């Protein structure tokens, strides 16, 4: 009896411990299976991000070939200009080795002005076929690099004086003497250049593409770099004129038959005057030497107040332009004569040009076919907000001798909040050979307005046809 009892106990122990072992093994296998699934799902979670970014790269490629197509070559898109939201568009994805397969879904949001896409926001959601519920979404804003990415963009040799404070990237296709304070990159397309007495080098001597003798931060100097194509700006002028004159978009002012137009920017509208008589002033610049300059308005006639269209904020003036006032919203103003081959128009800045706000919702491009110049009779402290383009000539203020104009030759302060794009040499201060200020502004400050890159005015000149992302954000 005792032997049989022992055999029963052994059997019971075997069954009990076997069950425990099986329970432990099944739990361990379940744990390993769960860990394996979690690991695989975590890998899929990482792969979903790569798939989502692949969707971003795909649409960037698409925009390079079809820059105004927000619909991925398809037809669905909500028609609510100036903002368009298109999609979603779903595409299969597989890596080159076919080890990862999945899908990405795209939503495209575009900002348009005058029928042109100015900025694109791409939202891409990616997932793998193995774990379709595990998704990652990335949102990217793509914009073509523009002149608004620079505080200064020049096509000639230039000398930035020691009184200058420049906050933003500074580039010239010529050589640069940077004696001002710079807090960003200073780049030149020249490896070396000849610095002449007009740039403070006596005798003339060869200098590096960028050099300094005063306050310049040499750690931020870069040269040589690729040049900017100023001739490329010409391509947009005929299109802007056609939109305003023939397609009734924006405002078109034909040749005045007189001296030109005086325009006051009045937030959402412009007051337009025809100038019938100008007074002459004695002036000097590097292009014309000493000359009599007809730039002071003597008589003018009001033509009317013109509302600025919100869907295409363009003003094309086929004549010389005198301008000042306050900007609200995005606006591009062009002064160019495309009817008379021998004539190139100028813009005269007669007073402050300011934004209603500086939060990026307001912006101005003021494009002159030739010169973009500050006039003689301007405020003591002058503010210029916007992007000022002198396509063929230069941006600056001519030299007005104090013996002729003691009240106006010297001004206290000039602030440029935005960008200056000048084909010729820039100058807003003239000095004597011994160093004293002869005319112009005693203190000058340039502040780069980075917000214009994200939400540009219409027909802002670009520096590249290839879009770059300005913002990257993972939604989930």
């Amino acid at each position: 009896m005792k032997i049989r009892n022992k055999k029963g106990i052994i059997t019971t122990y075997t069954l009990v411990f076997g069950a425990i072992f099986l329970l432990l093994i099944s739990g361990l296998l379940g744990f390993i299976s769960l860990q394996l699934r979690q690991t695989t799902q975590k890998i899929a979670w990482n792969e979903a991000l790569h798939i989502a970014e692949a969707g971003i790269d795909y649409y960037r490629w698409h925009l390079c070939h079809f820059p105004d197509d927000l619909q991925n070559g398809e037809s669905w898109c909500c028609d609510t200009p100036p903002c368009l939201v298109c999609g979603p568009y779903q595409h299969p994805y597989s890596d080159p080795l076919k080890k990862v397969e999945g899908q990405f879904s795209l939503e495209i949001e575009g900002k348009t002005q005058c029928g042109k896409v100015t900025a694109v926001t791409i939202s891409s959601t990616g997932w793998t076929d193995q774990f379709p519920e595990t998704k990652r979404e990335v949102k990217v804003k793509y914009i073509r690099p523009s002149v608004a990415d620079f505080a200064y963009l020049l096509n000639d040799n230039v000398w930035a004086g020691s009184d200058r404070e420049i906050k933003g990237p500074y580039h010239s296709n010529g050589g640069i003497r940077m004696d001002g304070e710079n807090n960003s990159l200073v780049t030149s397309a020249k490896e070396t250049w000849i610095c002449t007495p007009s740039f403070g080098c006596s005798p003339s001597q060869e200098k590096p593409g960028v050099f300094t003798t005063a306050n310049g931060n040499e750690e931020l100097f870069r040269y040589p770099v690729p040049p900017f194509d100023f001739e490329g700006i010409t391509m947009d002028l005929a299109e802007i004129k056609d939109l305003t004159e023939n397609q009734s978009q924006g405002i078109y002012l034909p040749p005045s038959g007189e001296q030109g137009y005086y325009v006051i920017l009045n937030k959402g509208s412009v007051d337009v005057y025809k100038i019938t008589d100008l007074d002459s002033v004695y002036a000097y610049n590097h292009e014309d030497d000493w000359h009599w300059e007809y730039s002071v308005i003597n008589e003018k006639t009001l033509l009317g107040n013109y509302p600025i269209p919100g869907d295409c904020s363009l003003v094309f003036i086929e004549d010389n332009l005198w301008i000042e006032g306050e900007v609200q919203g995005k606006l591009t103003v062009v002064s160019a004569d495309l009817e008379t081959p021998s004539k190139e128009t100028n813009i005269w800045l007669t007073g402050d040009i300011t934004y209603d706000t500086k939060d990026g919702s307001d912006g101005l491009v003021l494009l002159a076919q030739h010169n973009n110049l500050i006039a003689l009779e301007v405020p003591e402290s002058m503010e210029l907000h916007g992007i000022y383009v002198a396509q063929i000539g230069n941006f600056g203020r001519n030299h007005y001798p104090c013996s002729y104009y003691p009240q106006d030759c010297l001004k206290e302060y000039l602030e440029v909040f935005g960008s200056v794009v000048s084909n010729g040499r820039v100058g807003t201060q003239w000095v004597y050979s011994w160093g004293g200020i002869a005319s112009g502004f005693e203190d000058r400050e340039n502040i780069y307005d980075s917000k214009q890159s994200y939400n540009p005015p219409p027909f802002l000149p670009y520096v590249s046809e290839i879009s770059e992302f300005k913002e990257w954000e993972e939604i989930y």
Side-chain angles (χ1 to χ4, degrees):
M1 288 294 294
K2 290 181 180 180
I3 293 174
R4 284 196 292 270
N5 288 340
K6 286 182 179 179
K7 287 182 178 179
I9 290 170
I10 291 171
T11 301
T12 302
Y13 283 163
T14 301
L15 291 172
V16 170
F17 283 106
I20 293 172
F21 178 75
L22 289 174
L23 183 64
L24 290 174
I25 287 294
S26 63
L28 180 61
L29 290 175
F31 175 75
I32 292 172
S33 176
L34 178 63
Q35 288 293 102
L36 181 61
R37 180 176 176 82
Q38 287 180 340
T39 301
T40 307
Q41 193 167 7
K42 189 172 183 179
I43 292 172
W45 186 76
N46 288 324
E47 289 172 342
L49 177 62
H50 296 310
I51 294 172
E53 289 187 320
I56 297 290
D57 291 338
Y58 158 73
Y59 216 82
R60 182 187 179 190
W61 169 87
H62 185 80
L63 288 174
C64 287
H65 293 80
F66 309 98
D68 294 322
D69 179 19
L70 304 179
Q71 303 180 45
N72 195 36
E74 301 179 28
S75 59
W76 186 88
C77 192
C78 68
D79 188 17
T80 56
C83 292
L84 302 174
V85 181
C86 308
Y89 307 119
Q90 191 165 317
H91 291 261
Y93 168 85
S94 62
D95 69 353
L97 299 178
K98 304 289 185 181
K99 290 185 177 181
V100 179
E101 295 187 341
Q103 305 278 330
F104 58 78
S105 177
L106 299 171
E107 290 189 17
I108 316 299
E109 181 178 353
K111 177 73 174 178
T112 64
Q113 273 272 19
C114 307
K116 294 287 185 179
V117 176
T118 57
V120 178
T121 300
I122 307 169
S123 297
S124 176
T125 304
W127 63 90
T128 64
D129 290 341
Q130 187 177 3
F131 293 96
E133 73 282 356
T134 303
K135 298 181 178 181
R136 303 281 292 275
E137 182 180 354
V138 173
K139 188 175 184 179
V140 172
K141 193 165 190 175
Y142 267 106
I143 301 173
R144 282 190 287 174
S146 70
V147 299
D149 294 325
F150 296 85
Y152 268 83
L153 191 56
L154 312 172
N155 197 36
D156 203 349
N157 301 330
V158 64
W159 178 9
S162 58
D163 65 304
R164 295 278 295 281
E165 187 175 355
I166 300 168
K167 300 176 180 177
Y170 191 108
H171 171 82
S172 177
N173 290 345
I176 302 172
R177 177 174 174 176
M178 177 53 68
D179 288 344
E181 295 183 18
N182 62 288
N183 69 354
S184 187
L185 290 178
V186 179
T187 58
S188 169
K190 298 287 188 181
E191 185 169 0
T192 62
W193 62 295
I194 302 300
C195 178
T196 64
S198 65
F199 297 93
C201 297
S202 184
S204 298
Q205 51 196 281
E206 187 177 55
K207 289 289 187 180
V210 186
F211 78 100
T212 183
T213 63
N215 304 316
N217 185 353
E218 295 184 69
E219 294 181 355
L220 297 173
F221 293 174
R222 302 286 187 274
Y223 58 91
V225 300
F228 171 70
D229 180 17
F230 275 78
E231 293 182 0
I233 301 176
T234 310
M235 298 172 61
D236 291 335
L237 298 185
E239 186 175 359
I240 295 172
K241 178 183 175 180
D242 180 64
L243 282 171
T244 55
E245 182 183 22
N246 300 323
Q247 300 185 37
S248 300
Q249 298 193 57
I251 299 170
Y252 174 75
L253 298 177
S256 65
E258 297 286 349
Q259 306 300 317
Y261 293 95
Y262 171 54
V263 170
I264 300 176
L265 302 169
N266 191 20
K267 294 189 176 181
S269 65
V270 291
D271 296 326
V272 179
Y273 296 80
K274 181 182 289 188
I275 300 171
T276 56
D277 188 53
L278 294 169
D279 285 337
S280 63
V281 294
Y282 197 49
Y284 174 87
N285 59 42
H286 295 294
E287 183 179 10
D288 301 314
D289 209 290
W290 287 106
H291 63 284
W292 288 100
E293 165 192 293
Y294 289 86
S295 60
V296 176
I297 299 174
N298 186 34
E299 294 181 2
K300 60 185 184 293
T301 302
L302 177 65
L303 297 182
N305 176 270
Y306 298 82
I308 299 171
D311 58 342
C312 188
S313 302
L314 285 177
V315 179
F316 188 94
I317 298 171
E318 196 123 26
D319 213 325
N320 293 315
L321 170 64
W322 284 252
I323 189 169
E324 61 184 277
E326 188 174 6
V327 177
Q328 186 178 67
K330 300 294 181 176
L331 176 63
T332 295
V333 180
V334 176
S335 167
D337 188 340
L338 303 185
E339 295 184 359
T340 311
S342 61
K343 185 178 179 181
E344 297 167 355
T345 62
N346 295 318
I347 292 178
W348 295 94
L349 311 174
T350 57
D352 292 335
I353 298 178
T354 58
Y355 294 157
D356 187 38
T357 62
K358 285 186 177 181
D359 62 0
S361 58
D362 301 328
L364 171 69
V365 173
L366 193 56
L367 192 153
Q369 188 180 25
H370 194 72
N371 294 324
N372 215 325
L373 296 174
I374 300 171
L376 172 67
E377 299 175 352
V378 293
E380 280 294 320
S381 293
M382 189 173 185
E383 290 186 61
L384 295 175
H385 300 173
I387 299 164
Y388 297 86
V389 182
Q391 181 198 359
I392 299 172
N394 68 286
F395 173 91
R397 187 176 191 247
N398 290 337
H399 172 31
Y400 301 110
C402 289
S403 57
Y404 281 66
Y405 312 103
Q407 301 299 319
D408 291 302
C409 65
L410 278 173
K411 300 295 179 178
E412 292 179 1
Y413 175 73
L414 173 65
E415 177 192 287
V416 178
F417 179 72
S419 306
V420 170
V421 184
S422 181
N423 187 65
R425 182 177 176 180
V426 173
T428 53
Q429 183 189 92
W430 298 81
V431 297
Y432 296 109
S433 57
W434 47 266
I437 300 175
S439 72
F441 293 91
E442 297 182 48
D443 294 303
R444 298 163 293 168
E445 185 176 12
N446 300 88
I447 305 170
Y448 156 62
D449 181 11
S450 61
K451 295 182 178 65
Q452 297 306 314
S453 294
Y454 294 84
N455 185 17
F459 287 92
L460 177 69
Y462 295 111
V463 299
S464 172
E465 294 298 320
I466 300 175
S467 297
E468 296 179 354
F469 71 83
K470 293 286 186 179
E471 296 175 351
W472 187 98
E473 178 186 7
E474 184 177 1
I475 306 302
Y476 63 83

